[in-house]
Amino acid sequence: MSILKVARMGNPVLRRRMPPLDPAEIATPAVQRLIDDMFETMREYAGIGLAAPQVHEDRRLFVAGVDDPDGGLPPIVMINPEVEPIGVQIEEDWEGCLSIPDIRGRVPRPTDIRVRALDRHGAPQRMTAQGFAARVIQHETDHLDGVLFFDRMASFDSLTFLQEYERFWDEADRSR
Ligand code: ZN
């Protein structure tokens, strides 16, 4: 496996809409290796999710997952995902992005979603997700449409560097 180079904000690859991945391609060594490399890259940089355009691959897929005793996310691969909100509840919470290093901002997102996608074996998966998992899935699916989390912010008042986040916001956030 290898660690891939992550595209940073300003790179046009992050603004492209990714074409659907042909299901016949999913089993190929190229795609299987890409998925493994994306997991390795995500873990190397302590990310929670990583979408193919972030590693310069024009493919409609992302990986996500994080170990966290306070509620993690099991490893998931989503190919050609389609996200649909359930209900109208919106919640604002902090997001960061491996393509926008050391910056955080608060992003409103639907709290409950329904997702349809293919898994890494090409099998259809349907799931519902809430809260943190729903937020990660929406963030990563946005990458496949060339959308970054800044685009979803209701206001830039909360935009903060990581160091200032830890100094001024993290404590307040935890006590919410
Ligand atoms: Zn991101």
Side-chain angles (χ1 to χ4, degrees), residues 54 96-99 139-140 143:
Q54 293 183 276
C97 182
L98 292 180
S99 296
H139 177 119
E140 300 309 327
H143 273 303

Side-chain angles (χ1 to χ4, degrees), residues 25-163:
E25 268 193 84
I26 295 173
T28 61
V31 170
Q32 292 297 313
R33 189 193 158 119
L34 172 64
I35 291 168
D36 290 336
D37 287 349
M38 285 173 65
F39 271 118
E40 192 179 20
T41 303
M42 180 182 82
R43 290 181 181 126
E44 170 71 15
Y45 296 108
I48 292 164
L50 187 66
Q54 293 183 276
V55 291
H56 309 263
E57 287 277 345
D58 283 356
R59 298 184 192 273
R60 201 165 181 82
L61 74 90
F62 71 79
V63 302
V66 66
D67 292 326
D68 185 340
D70 297 331
L73 180 65
I76 49 172
V77 177
M78 291 199 159
I79 298 168
N80 302 340
E82 289 173 41
V83 172
E84 189 188 342
I86 303 171
V88 294
Q89 199 184 340
I90 305 277
E91 189 174 67
E92 198 174 76
D93 209 344
W94 294 98
E95 292 189 22
C97 182
L98 292 180
S99 296
I100 311 174
D102 297 330
I103 290 189
R104 296 281 181 274
R106 291 179 68 85
V107 184
R109 303 261 188 201
T111 54
D112 296 82
I113 58 169
R114 186 176 292 120
V115 198
R116 289 191 314 161
L118 300 177
D119 69 13
R120 71 177 297 165
H121 308 293
Q125 48 180 342
R126 284 167 179 276
M127 64 181 280
T128 57
Q130 297 80 36
F132 176 69
R135 177 170 298 278
V136 173
I137 290 167
Q138 289 174 86
H139 177 119
E140 300 309 327
T141 301
D142 270 355
H143 273 303
L144 305 179
D145 292 325
V147 173
L148 300 175
F149 81 81
F150 283 8
D151 304 334
R152 300 281 190 197
M153 290 177 74
S155 134
F156 293 130
D157 289 359
S158 66
L159 207 55
T160 179
F161 289 107
L162 191 53
Q163 205 176 336

